[in-house]
Structure formats: C-alpha cells, structure tokens
Amino acid sequence: MIILAILLMPLISALAVYLLKKDAFSRIVPVFAGAVNAVLCGLLAYMPETLHLTGTLSLKVDRNGFLILAITDMLFLLTSLHLYSWQKEDAKKSTGHQGMKYSSFAALLLLFFFTMTLTALVQDFGMLWVAVEATTLASAPLINFHRGKGSLEAMWKYLLICSIGIGVALFGTMLLAASLNDPHAGLGFTQVKMLAKSNCDIIWFKLGFVLCFAGYALKMGLAPFHTWLPDAHSEAPAPVSALLSGSLLNCALLAILRLLDTVPPELSGFAAGNLKFLGFFSLAVAAFFIIHQKDFKRMLAYSSVEHMGLIILFMAYGIANAGMVHVMTHSLTKMALFLVAGNILLSYGTRSVDQVRGLFDRLPRNGALWIFGLLLICGTPPSPLFFTEISLVWRAGYFEGAVILLLLLIIFCGMAARMLKMTAPAGEKPALDRETDKLAKVPFGAMTLITLLGIFIGAAWIINGVQK
C-alpha cells in the first residue's frame, strides 16, 4: 500500500492542479505532495514491501532504488518550497509573463515527479525503459516554461536527442532478452542476472549491453552523448534545471547500475573499460567547456557532465559506496546552485557572466551562497565531495589518479574565475534587490545539510584513521 500511495500521490495531485487551474492552489499542492511522499519514503525504509502488478511485473525498493527515491523526494520537496515564492517573483520580473500557465506547469512538474519515482521502483528492464522514456516526455515541456525562442529550441533538442538514445536502449533491451536463450524468460532484474551468469549468448549480451549503456549514458549526460544537456539546463527555469541535474540524471544512472549488476563475469573487464573511457572523457569535455564558458547556467550544466563522469568512475573502480555519497552530495549541491543561479537571473535579467557585477551588493545572501556553493561542488572541505574524490584518486592509482586531479583542478580554476568575476564591484554600486535575495532560504538549507554531512564524514574519517 505504501508503494501504491507513493505513486498515486503525484498523479492525483497533478490531475487536481490541472483541473482547478488556480495559481495559489498550484503552488501549495506540489509542496504537499513532496512532503507526503518524503514521509512515505521514510516508512518504506522501515516497512519494505512489493507491489505486484501482474504475475511477472512488480514494484519494490532495493538499496540503490531507495537511495534514488529518497534523493528525488528530498529534491522535489525543496524545489517545491522554493517554487512557492519563486513563481510570484518570476511573474513580477517577467513584466506581463506570457509563458505557460502555472497550473499546467505544476501539473507537468508533478507528472515528472511520478515518472522519476516509478523509475526508482521498477524491477524489470522493459518497465525501466518505459519509466525512463516517460521522464523525457514529462520533463520536456517544462523546459519551455517561458516560451522563448531559445527554450523552445532546447526543448525539441532535448526531446529528439534523448528519444534517439532511449530508442537505442530499447533495441539493446531486446538483444539482452534474445541473449538469454530462454523464450519464456522475463526481463526482471533478478532473472536476467541469474540467466546471464549461467545460460546466455555472450556475443548477443555484449551487443545488448553496449546499446543499453550508450542509450542510458546519453540520458545521463555522459560525454560524448551530452549535447542536449547544456541547452536544456540553461534554458529551463531554475527549479526545473535543479530537478533535471539533481534528480533526472540519477534516474539514468540507476538504469546503468541495473545493467551493470547483470553483467556476466566474462564481460566484467569489458564493462569496466567502457565506464572508464566515458568517465575520463566526460571529465575532459567538462574541463574544456567550463574554462571557455560565458553563461553561468551552462557552466553549471557542464559541471553536471563532470560529476556524472566522476560517478561512473566510482563504479568502474569498484567503490560504489563512495559513489553513492557523491551522488547524494552532487544532487543537493547542484540543486542549490541552480536555484541561486535562477535568483541571479531574476535580478539581473541575463545569464552572461560578463554582465553580472556587484553580486554581493545587489544580492548579498545569494552572492555568499554562490561562492560557498562553488567550494562545495568543487570538493573543498567540508564538502563530502572532498572525501569521495580523494577515495577515487587513491583507488585509481598514480597515473590515472593524477589525471583526475589535473582535470578537477582545471575545472575548479575555470569555475572560480567566472563565479568570482560576478562578485567583483560594479562601476556604479547596484541597488539592493531585497525581494529576490529572500529567495535564498532553500539553497541555504540545502548547503547547510551538505556541510553537516561533510563534517560528519570528516569526523568519521579521522576517527577511523586514529583507530587504525
């Protein structure tokens, strides 16, 4: 019943918001739905259950699925709280905003929430493909909230490229099914894992793995399949960018983790090689584009490419626990940074780094969070990313670890140069924008949680080192 309630809450809320078409109601309902699902997710941790849809299809939460579900619930709740105030300020600053009706936007946002929740709960490769494709269809219209030329182009680019990738994943799923040599076998994760290790055609499984991995890697934003991500993240309204980067990419990551869990021993080296290649390539691409970036929201988008590459490297080197800490920290930090970026955009009316000056004078709270967020996302203590990235460098060895450190240093310098430039004094001191600066509450709360987590991990690290 808990799983059914978790799925029905966003669906019923979306229908209610769409039918009533009242802005005040549309701002409250997402907060309520997010809070209820967060409570239900906590109950599911103590009372795990399975929801049987048919004889072969079921929904349940396992370790990885629960982590993605918990992150999704937390980010949706925080983003909805931010949206409550952001929508009014956005409508005011847009001077007669002619974009999407907010009731339609809120309904699509709740539907997007439902699809991400479904992705975390499915236990079948066929249903997984359906859920991931549904996230694309539900989230694409959200990018075009303001209905500008750039956002319309970004929406179609996102929709077309991701649909191609998901189509490739569908073909790969068919090949995985064909490789199992059992016409009666289903596509449940457990069954595929068992048959892959005992009764599968290695050649067909290998080809199916490559296609599935490529398709889901595209949705995850790994280079060179990342081309949709900078446009979608930069053109979408800030709360949508926060969910795209903090939650949606995790759904594609979960699909890859499901796939890796079924790989037979004969292909483990091949799978690890693919992960390493895309991981290092994503880091290199992110480093190159960040140091040349003039749009601060696109800069954050390329930072997501960087961290998706790092997360894949955690899986390649077999340190999944550190990788999951990295996933959670990146999600919260990037959500907070996108929300702050949205506040800056609201106040200055531009995404250009060169046109934003005197950030501490105009938006003092957001300016402080902007710089602190830079330190957190780049792995500066007390960020938990410091400890996870050190673990990765240590496991990678001298040469590969040195390459990771070099690329991370380039990314840090590139981001710092642009973000600090935005805080430089302007020729004429800008007026304080009190109303927009008040929108810093949710990012502040998220960064506080991250800092406390980093202090806890650091203390545990020191204690373990002393004991050893």
Coordinates of all heavy atoms in Angstrom, one line a residue, residues 91-125:
A91 N 6.9 36.0 -12.1 CA 5.8 36.6 -12.8 C 6.0 38.2 -12.8 O 5.7 38.9 -13.7 CB 4.5 36.2 -12.3
K92 N 6.4 38.7 -11.6 CA 6.6 40.1 -11.5 C 7.8 40.6 -12.3 O 7.6 41.7 -13.0 CB 6.9 40.4 -10.0 CG 6.9 41.9 -9.7 CD 7.4 42.1 -8.2 CE 6.6 41.3 -7.2 NZ 7.2 41.5 -5.8
K93 N 8.9 39.9 -12.3 CA 10.1 40.4 -13.0 C 9.9 40.2 -14.6 O 10.6 40.8 -15.3 CB 11.3 39.6 -12.6 CG 11.7 39.9 -11.1 CD 12.4 41.3 -11.1 CE 12.7 41.7 -9.6 NZ 13.7 40.9 -9.0
S94 N 9.0 39.3 -14.9 CA 8.8 39.0 -16.4 C 8.0 40.0 -17.1 O 7.7 40.0 -18.3 CB 8.2 37.6 -16.6 OG 9.1 36.6 -16.1
T95 N 7.4 41.0 -16.3 CA 6.6 42.1 -16.8 C 5.5 41.6 -17.8 O 5.6 41.7 -19.0 CB 7.5 43.1 -17.5 OG1 8.2 42.5 -18.6 CG2 8.5 43.7 -16.6
G96 N 4.5 41.0 -17.2 CA 3.4 40.5 -18.0 C 3.8 39.2 -18.7 O 3.7 39.0 -19.9
H97 N 4.3 38.3 -17.8 CA 4.7 36.9 -18.3 C 3.6 36.2 -19.1 O 2.5 36.1 -18.7 CB 5.0 36.1 -17.0 CG 5.2 34.7 -17.3 ND1 6.3 34.2 -18.1 CD2 4.6 33.6 -16.9 CE1 6.2 32.9 -18.1 NE2 5.2 32.5 -17.4
Q98 N 4.0 35.8 -20.4 CA 3.1 35.2 -21.3 C 3.4 33.7 -21.5 O 3.1 33.2 -22.5 CB 3.1 36.0 -22.6 CG 2.7 37.4 -22.5 CD 1.2 37.6 -22.1 OE1 0.4 36.8 -22.5 NE2 1.0 38.5 -21.2
G99 N 4.1 33.2 -20.6 CA 4.5 31.8 -20.8 C 3.4 30.8 -20.4 O 2.3 31.1 -20.5
M100 N 3.9 29.6 -20.1 CA 2.9 28.5 -19.8 C 2.1 28.9 -18.5 O 2.6 29.5 -17.6 CB 3.7 27.2 -19.5 CG 2.9 26.0 -19.2 SD 4.0 24.6 -18.7 CE 5.0 24.4 -20.2
K101 N 0.8 28.5 -18.5 CA 0.0 28.7 -17.3 C 0.6 27.9 -16.2 O 1.0 26.8 -16.3 CB -1.4 28.2 -17.6 CG -2.2 29.1 -18.5 CD -3.6 28.6 -18.7 CE -4.5 29.5 -19.6 NZ -5.8 29.0 -19.7
Y102 N 0.6 28.6 -15.0 CA 1.3 27.9 -13.9 C 0.6 26.6 -13.4 O 1.3 25.7 -13.0 CB 1.4 28.9 -12.7 CG 2.4 28.4 -11.6 CD1 3.7 28.3 -11.9 CD2 1.9 27.9 -10.4 CE1 4.6 27.8 -11.0 CE2 2.8 27.3 -9.5 CZ 4.1 27.3 -9.8 OH 5.0 26.8 -8.8
S103 N -0.7 26.5 -13.6 CA -1.4 25.3 -13.2 C -0.9 24.2 -14.2 O -0.7 23.0 -13.7 CB -2.9 25.5 -13.4 OG -3.2 25.9 -14.7
S104 N -0.7 24.4 -15.4 CA -0.2 23.4 -16.4 C 1.3 23.1 -16.0 O 1.6 21.9 -16.0 CB -0.2 23.9 -17.8 OG -1.6 24.2 -18.2
F105 N 2.0 24.1 -15.7 CA 3.4 23.8 -15.3 C 3.5 23.0 -14.0 O 4.3 22.0 -14.0 CB 4.1 25.2 -15.0 CG 5.5 25.1 -14.5 CD1 6.6 24.8 -15.3 CD2 5.8 25.3 -13.1 CE1 7.9 24.7 -14.8 CE2 7.0 25.2 -12.6 CZ 8.1 24.9 -13.4
A106 N 2.7 23.3 -13.0 CA 2.7 22.5 -11.8 C 2.2 21.1 -12.0 O 2.8 20.1 -11.4 CB 1.8 23.2 -10.7
A107 N 1.2 20.9 -12.9 CA 0.7 19.5 -13.2 C 1.8 18.7 -13.9 O 2.0 17.5 -13.6 CB -0.5 19.6 -14.1
L108 N 2.5 19.3 -14.8 CA 3.6 18.6 -15.5 C 4.8 18.3 -14.6 O 5.4 17.3 -14.7 CB 4.1 19.5 -16.7 CG 3.3 19.5 -17.9 CD1 3.7 20.6 -18.9 CD2 3.3 18.1 -18.6
L109 N 5.0 19.2 -13.6 CA 6.1 19.0 -12.7 C 5.8 17.8 -11.8 O 6.6 17.0 -11.5 CB 6.2 20.3 -11.8 CG 7.5 20.4 -11.0 CD1 8.7 20.6 -11.9 CD2 7.4 21.5 -9.9
L110 N 4.5 17.7 -11.4 CA 4.1 16.5 -10.6 C 4.1 15.2 -11.4 O 4.5 14.2 -10.9 CB 2.7 16.8 -10.0 CG 2.6 17.8 -8.9 CD1 1.2 18.4 -8.7 CD2 3.1 17.2 -7.6
L111 N 3.8 15.3 -12.7 CA 3.9 14.2 -13.5 C 5.3 13.7 -13.7 O 5.6 12.5 -13.7 CB 3.2 14.5 -14.9 CG 3.1 13.3 -15.9 CD1 2.2 12.2 -15.3 CD2 2.5 13.8 -17.2
F112 N 6.2 14.7 -13.8 CA 7.6 14.4 -13.9 C 8.1 13.7 -12.6 O 8.9 12.8 -12.6 CB 8.4 15.7 -14.1 CG 9.9 15.6 -14.2 CD1 10.5 14.6 -14.8 CD2 10.7 16.7 -13.7 CE1 11.9 14.5 -15.0 CE2 12.0 16.6 -13.8 CZ 12.6 15.5 -14.4
F113 N 7.6 14.2 -11.5 CA 7.9 13.6 -10.2 C 7.5 12.1 -10.2 O 8.2 11.2 -9.7 CB 7.2 14.4 -9.1 CG 7.5 13.9 -7.7 CD1 8.7 13.4 -7.3 CD2 6.5 14.0 -6.7 CE1 8.9 12.9 -6.0 CE2 6.7 13.6 -5.4 CZ 7.9 13.1 -5.1
F114 N 6.3 11.9 -10.7 CA 5.7 10.5 -10.7 C 6.7 9.6 -11.6 O 7.0 8.5 -11.2 CB 4.3 10.5 -11.3 CG 3.9 9.2 -11.8 CD1 3.5 8.2 -10.9 CD2 3.9 8.9 -13.2 CE1 3.1 6.9 -11.4 CE2 3.5 7.6 -13.7 CZ 3.1 6.7 -12.7
T115 N 7.1 10.1 -12.7 CA 7.9 9.2 -13.6 C 9.3 8.9 -13.0 O 9.8 7.8 -13.1 CB 8.1 9.9 -15.0 OG1 8.8 11.2 -14.8 CG2 6.8 10.1 -15.7
M116 N 9.9 9.9 -12.3 CA 11.1 9.6 -11.6 C 10.9 8.6 -10.5 O 11.8 7.7 -10.2 CB 11.8 10.9 -11.1 CG 12.2 11.8 -12.2 SD 13.2 13.2 -11.6 CE 11.9 14.2 -10.8
T117 N 9.8 8.7 -9.8 CA 9.5 7.8 -8.7 C 9.3 6.4 -9.2 O 9.8 5.4 -8.7 CB 8.2 8.2 -7.9 OG1 8.4 9.6 -7.4 CG2 7.9 7.3 -6.8
L118 N 8.6 6.3 -10.3 CA 8.4 5.0 -11.0 C 9.7 4.4 -11.4 O 9.9 3.1 -11.2 CB 7.5 5.2 -12.2 CG 7.1 3.9 -13.0 CD1 6.3 2.9 -12.1 CD2 6.4 4.2 -14.2
T119 N 10.6 5.2 -11.9 CA 12.0 4.6 -12.4 C 12.7 4.0 -11.2 O 13.4 3.0 -11.4 CB 12.8 5.8 -12.9 OG1 12.1 6.4 -14.0 CG2 14.1 5.3 -13.4
A120 N 12.6 4.6 -10.0 CA 13.3 4.0 -8.8 C 12.7 2.7 -8.3 O 13.4 2.0 -7.7 CB 13.3 5.1 -7.7
L121 N 11.4 2.5 -8.7 CA 10.7 1.3 -8.1 C 10.6 0.1 -9.0 O 10.4 -1.0 -8.6 CB 9.3 1.8 -7.7 CG 9.2 2.8 -6.5 CD1 7.8 3.3 -6.4 CD2 9.7 2.2 -5.2
V122 N 10.7 0.3 -10.3 CA 10.5 -0.8 -11.3 C 11.6 -1.9 -11.1 O 12.8 -1.5 -10.7 CB 10.5 -0.3 -12.7 CG1 9.2 0.5 -13.0 CG2 11.7 0.4 -13.1
Q123 N 11.3 -3.1 -11.4 CA 12.2 -4.2 -11.2 C 12.3 -5.1 -12.5 O 12.6 -6.2 -12.4 CB 11.7 -5.1 -10.1 CG 11.7 -4.5 -8.7 CD 13.1 -4.1 -8.2 OE1 14.0 -5.0 -8.2 NE2 13.3 -2.9 -7.8
D124 N 12.1 -4.4 -13.6 CA 12.1 -5.1 -14.9 C 12.7 -4.2 -16.0 O 12.4 -3.0 -16.0 CB 10.6 -5.5 -15.2 CG 10.5 -6.1 -16.6 OD1 10.4 -5.4 -17.6 OD2 10.5 -7.4 -16.6
F125 N 13.5 -4.8 -16.8 CA 14.2 -3.9 -17.8 C 13.2 -3.3 -18.8 O 13.4 -2.2 -19.3 CB 15.3 -4.7 -18.6 CG 16.6 -4.8 -17.9 CD1 17.0 -6.0 -17.3 CD2 17.4 -3.7 -17.8 CE1 18.2 -6.1 -16.6 CE2 18.6 -3.8 -17.1 CZ 19.0 -5.0 -16.5

